[in-house]
Amino acid sequence: MLLLALCLNACSVNNTVQQITPDANVLRYSKVQGYEDRFVNLFARNTDYPVTCNEDCYQPQKNIACHAHMQDCTYTGDNPELSINAGFTVKWIGHASFQINTESGQQFLFDPVFGQFDWPVNWAFRLAAGFNRREPAQPADDLFWQTDAVMYSHIHYDHFNKSDIDAFARNTRFLTPLGFAAHFPKGGFKIAEMAWYASKTIGDVTAHFVPAHHFSNRIVVPYLYEDENTTLWGGWLLEKDGNTLYFAGDTGYSPHFKQIADRFGSIDVCLIPIASYFSEESPDWYRQVHTTPEDALTAATELRCKVMVPWGYGNYSWQMGDKTSHSALFRLLTMKERLASDTPLYILNEGEQVKF
């Protein structure tokens, strides 16, 4: 009874919320009457892409071993030898989830989701899609207790899972876009809501919240409630001793990549999505908010990335907006050769890590 009482008391403790909106932020709001509090992207809907693959986009790849056609695959090729020395160790957990460790012993997580969608959306997806996500290996307890900060890119279910939050130590910092804290469970969590180009220093790492070209929503009750774009979205740039690591979050291609490079210079390590762009019913809309592999290669060039790590596809994804689990990787390798891109690719399988 005492343990139950302590648990209930802990769960009822209000969270500590800080909002960081520096004068240099570049927020944009809707001009539609009645929705002036809704966020909008920095740049208008894009209809002019530098490169678009229209045919033979998924060429066979000898370095990808699959159980079926572009499905349930493992990358078996060699990755390039690099001398970046940025001091970041990158582990791809799966889908959009990454663990980042620094040489000084700090640990950060991007968009950690270790299970299915939060209930009841997990049921709805299972009924609609006909399958559940194959879950990554459940992390050891020390992952939760040794994490200095968790950074979320946006509030969509495949990037933010409330059921994982209680496992983190109460001194863990949560860095989020503006409007995010209202969706957290109570429990004494420390949350910093940030505008685009807001920054927060944790230990010897400075985390910058940067723009993305996307959208947000989480709850829709027809005719009663919707939260379209009431929370912000974006990516993260970690800076330590002059070295940088960029996590793009979900994003479509837009001039925001050049804007980020103008502010921060060349990026040492770029984690850029390449999936969720395919739709027979709404191809233009999916392309607006998710980079194709060729868009990702263009973005990497504009960001002057010293290495690009692709993500979003894979055996632990939900395959939303994808032909198969690994079709996006096949297209990435096809287009890298076709475009003669000089940005090095470092391709991880889920659960693998590399030090840059």
Side-chain angles (χ1 to χ4, degrees), residues 216-291:
S216 74
N217 56 15
R218 191 165 177 94
I219 302 170
V220 177
V221 181
Y223 308 109
L224 294 177
Y225 181 85
E226 54 80 25
D227 61 355
E228 186 81 12
N229 296 342
T230 58
T231 64
L232 194 56
W233 52 90
W236 293 96
L237 188 140
L238 303 185
E239 189 173 18
K240 180 183 183 297
D241 300 330
N243 300 312
T244 50
L245 180 146
Y246 168 64
F247 171 72
D250 270 1
T251 183
Y253 177 80
S254 93
H256 75 277
F257 292 118
K258 292 180 181 178
Q259 185 186 80
I260 292 169
D262 288 342
R263 287 193 177 230
F264 295 100
S266 61
I267 309 298
D268 291 303
V269 182
C270 294
L271 314 180
I272 302 180
I274 64 169
S276 300
Y277 56 84
F278 173 76
S279 171
E280 291 183 349
E281 296 79 16
S282 305
D284 293 340
W285 184 85
Y286 270 73
R287 179 82 180 270
Q288 286 286 326
V289 294
H290 295 102
T291 46

Side-chain angles (χ1 to χ4, degrees), residues 56-213:
D56 300 325
C57 302
Y58 304 91
Q59 292 298 300
Q61 301 294 331
K62 64 180 182 180
N63 293 327
I64 306 178
C66 299
H67 292 286
H69 182 57
M70 296 191 297
Q71 180 70 36
D72 300 329
C73 305
T74 301
Y75 180 72
T76 60
D78 294 326
N79 280 304
E81 295 286 339
L82 301 169
S83 299
I84 297 175
N85 298 320
F88 295 108
T89 297
V90 176
K91 181 178 181 179
W92 186 29
I93 297 170
H95 193 59
S97 302
F98 281 90
Q99 175 185 331
I100 310 297
N101 291 86
T102 70
E103 290 180 326
S104 58
Q106 289 188 275
Q107 181 167 286
F108 305 99
L109 296 179
F110 293 131
D111 288 0
V113 177
F114 298 104
Q116 306 300 327
F117 297 137
D118 279 328
W119 184 89
V121 175
N122 59 335
W123 287 7
F125 180 80
R126 179 69 176 84
L127 290 172
F131 67 94
N132 282 327
R133 171 202 195 193
R134 184 186 302 169
E135 296 182 13
Q138 288 302 300
D141 290 342
D142 59 5
L143 175 79
F144 296 101
W145 289 88
Q146 294 175 7
T147 294
D148 294 280
V150 177
M151 301 167 199
Y152 291 109
S153 64
H154 65 299
I155 207 159
H156 286 156
Y157 283 84
D158 55 328
H159 294 257
F160 171 61
N161 194 317
K162 290 197 262 188
S163 65
D164 290 322
I165 292 174
D166 277 328
F168 287 99
R170 290 306 184 267
N171 62 349
T172 305
R173 299 282 180 174
F174 291 90
L175 308 187
T176 76
L178 291 175
F180 217 102
H183 294 272
F184 266 69
K186 289 184 178 181
F189 298 107
K190 299 176 182 178
I191 307 164
E193 292 187 343
M194 298 167 65
W196 285 328
Y197 294 118
S199 303
K200 188 171 181 63
T201 298
I202 299 175
D204 56 8
V205 172
T206 300
H208 305 274
F209 187 54
V210 295
H213 191 89

